[in-house]
Amino acid sequence: MIMAIIDRIRQTIATVAPDKVFVITDSNVAVVESRLIEALDPAYVAVVEAGEEHKGIAEVARIAGELSARGATRRSLIICIGGGMVTDLGGFVAAIFKRGIPHINVATTLLGGVDASVGGKTGVDLGGLKNELGAFHMPLEVFADTESFASLPPVEILSGFGEIIKTAFLAGDDMTRRILGLDPMEATPSMLEEICVFCRDEKMRVVEADPTEKGLRKVLNLGHTAGHAMETLMLERGTPAAHGVAVAHGLLVALILSNMECGLDSAWVSRYASWLRSYYPAIPFSCRDYADLWRIARHDKKNAGTADVLNFVLLASPGHPVTDVAIDRSRFESALDIYQELQGR
């Protein structure tokens, strides 16, 4: 697998003919993927400390300064090797350096392979808010090193499956049933490779129709309004939750609201709640935290507008998303109450 990725990247490099190649990665991946990095013979390797807390504007400025000092031009190429943090941050550097230079993403996590590296959304966090600064900048190519998935800790597999089940609900009931029938930790490498291809194809079908999220692309935010709020709350408390784990929990809130607002069959809510309880760690919060979750969600880019509602993506049924559903604070908190009951808390 790794030699195939190296060969395909080299083919892309030969086609693009950059004056210099630069790599952006993190401190963990730099060790694990040293063979890949060395094979690319980069002019410079920018290494970011691993962890979401390092996905900020200070790192962007540092890396951009290094690129400038080493003679990067608009004809240079950036290769981002890592998980979602690296492809988000590295893609943002590529988007703004010299007003945009080409880049390639090589995903080394399941989350990156199924979602984060695909679609051209880039960004960094600001003031504890997820991806508060960002740009649309489509990578030339996206590769997934599925061999590296075998070394991932369980929480990273679960994080990837948070985006996988979201994509399944958007695709339709057949794929949703298939994923809900899986134990994420028992998925084989060949199964994960097949799922990666499915998720990337589904996402690109939406992205190609709406590259800058004017309409259809909003459906990809299913589960993210409440999920991002939970993720940010945990980050504020110094007990970070993996992105896809938070999305998996946020998806349950979205399904509850879908039942309340759009008539989604309650059987889907119950089945998903059971799957979530069976495999995922809890996101610890109580009714005393509802005000903070509301406050955080109000800062989300998707919720520009009046201060008294949140805009949710919901489902009428699997495969039939509904965008821009306005949810007031009372309905939001009612959904959180039901979420707590379904999670046995």
Side-chain angles (χ1 to χ4, degrees):
M1 172 63 74
I2 192 64
M3 286 309 302
I5 291 175
I6 290 171
D7 288 343
R8 291 173 66 190
I9 294 176
R10 284 174 171 167
Q11 290 171 13
T12 302
I13 291 173
T15 300
V16 176
D19 54 9
K20 292 181 179 180
V21 173
F22 297 88
V23 166
I24 298 176
T25 189
D26 72 29
S27 53
N28 290 338
V29 177
V31 176
V32 176
E33 297 286 0
S34 59
R35 180 183 175 196
L36 168 60
I37 293 169
E38 290 170 6
L40 300 176
D41 192 26
Y44 173 66
V45 180
V47 179
V48 182
E49 285 298 316
E52 181 76 15
E53 64 270 25
H54 300 290
K55 198 181 87 171
I57 195 65
E59 281 299 302
V60 172
R62 181 184 70 81
I63 293 170
E66 295 285 0
L67 294 179
S68 184
R70 287 166 170 77
T73 72
R74 295 189 77 177
R75 293 186 54 248
S76 298
L77 173 69
I78 291 176
I79 302 177
C80 306
I81 305 175
M85 187 274 278
V86 169
T87 56
D88 276 359
L89 185 148
F92 186 60
V93 171
I96 65 173
F97 188 80
K98 306 286 187 184
R99 296 196 177 94
I101 64 176
H103 74 295
I104 292 170
N105 286 336
V106 182
T108 61
T109 66
L110 183 58
L111 178 66
V114 300
D115 182 72
S117 66
V118 184
K121 270 190 178 181
T122 74
V124 294
D125 304 342
L126 182 70
L129 298 173
K130 287 279 296 179
N131 297 323
E132 188 78 347
L133 304 177
F136 291 99
H137 193 59
M138 196 69 70
L140 295 176
E141 298 279 359
V142 175
F143 305 100
D145 180 8
T146 54
E147 287 181 1
S148 67
F149 297 171
S151 64
L152 293 173
V155 69
E156 288 296 332
I157 297 295
L158 293 174
S159 187
F161 264 86
E163 290 287 356
I164 289 167
I165 188 59
K166 175 209 79 173
T167 304
F169 267 110
L170 290 172
D173 53 7
D174 287 346
M175 194 63 177
T176 304
R177 287 191 180 94
R178 180 183 175 191
I179 300 302
L180 291 179
L182 289 177
D183 176 343
M185 303 314 302
E186 297 297 325
T188 64
S190 61
M191 190 182 299
L192 291 178
E193 187 165 358
E194 178 189 348
I195 289 171
C196 278
V197 172
F198 163 77
C199 288
R200 291 202 300 270
D201 287 350
E202 282 294 310
K203 184 168 184 177
M204 286 310 301
R205 177 183 62 81
V206 172
V207 168
E208 287 169 0
D210 179 21
T212 57
E213 202 170 292
K214 302 298 186 206
L216 178 63
R217 185 168 178 162
K218 293 178 182 179
V219 303
L220 299 176
N221 292 318
L222 177 67
H224 284 63
T225 299
H228 274 173
M230 293 179 193
E231 185 179 3
T232 300
L233 180 65
M234 295 302 102
L235 196 61
E236 286 182 355
R237 292 180 169 176
T239 56
H243 170 74
V245 171
V247 168
H249 283 274
L251 179 57
L252 179 55
V253 176
L255 295 183
I256 292 164
L257 286 168
S258 296
N259 173 254
M260 294 165 60
E261 304 291 328
C262 302
L264 177 70
D265 190 331
S266 61
W268 286 112
V269 181
S270 298
R271 186 170 181 183
Y272 179 69
S274 176
W275 186 81
L276 187 67
R277 279 196 314 273
S278 295
Y279 301 116
Y280 278 74
I283 300 285
F285 67 89
S286 71
C287 60
R288 293 186 297 275
D289 301 305
Y290 289 2
D292 281 334
L293 289 170
W294 179 265
R295 167 184 59 82
I296 294 165
R298 283 300 315 144
H299 281 281
D300 194 293
K301 297 177 291 299
K302 298 179 288 298
N303 289 306
T306 58
D308 57 349
V309 297
L310 298 175
N311 290 322
F312 270 81
V313 177
L314 301 179
L315 292 175
S317 61
H320 296 89
V322 183
T323 60
D324 295 323
V325 181
I327 302 296
D328 64 22
R329 184 165 177 174
S330 174
R331 300 293 271 174
F332 178 63
E333 293 189 354
S334 293
L336 291 176
D337 284 339
I338 298 170
Y339 163 90
Q340 300 275 30
E341 292 172 9
L342 289 172
Q343 289 297 285
R345 293 161 56 204

